[in-house]
């Protein structure tokens, strides 16, 4: 499974998005607002799930973190740089 797919599955599992499949989440689309429509509470839960699954450090409430959480693609890029 590639990292983008893994992140999409993690989003679905950690946020209990039962009506959404991996195929429904666009890699480049925004996760918040007009895209997937996640909110700040979803962001916290997703952040915890990402920390746990990928063992990466996420700074809370920084502009940089907001940029990382923009889309699945930006999260994948962030996780890859943290793993290096």
């Amino acid at each position: 499974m590639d990292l983008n797919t893994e992140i999409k599955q993690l989003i679905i599992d950690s946020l209990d998005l039962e009506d959404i499949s991996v195929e429904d989440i666009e890699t480049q689309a925004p996760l918040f607002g007009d895209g997937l429509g996640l909110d700040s509470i979803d962001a916290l839960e997703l952040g915890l799930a990402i920390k746990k699954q990928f063992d990466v450090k996420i700074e809370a409430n920084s502009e940089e973190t907001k940029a990382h959480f923009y889309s699945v693609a930006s999260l994948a890029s962030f996780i890859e740089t943290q793993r290096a």
Side-chain angles (χ1 to χ4, degrees), residues 45-76:
E45 289 189 25
L46 183 55
L48 289 171
I50 287 172
K51 273 170 122 166
K52 193 171 166 186
Q53 181 152 340
F54 299 106
D55 194 30
V56 295
K57 187 170 168 39
I58 299 171
E59 295 293 328
N61 298 325
S62 81
E63 286 304 312
E64 208 173 276
T65 299
K66 284 182 185 156
H68 295 318
F69 276 75
Y70 177 76
S71 67
V72 170
S74 58
L75 272 174

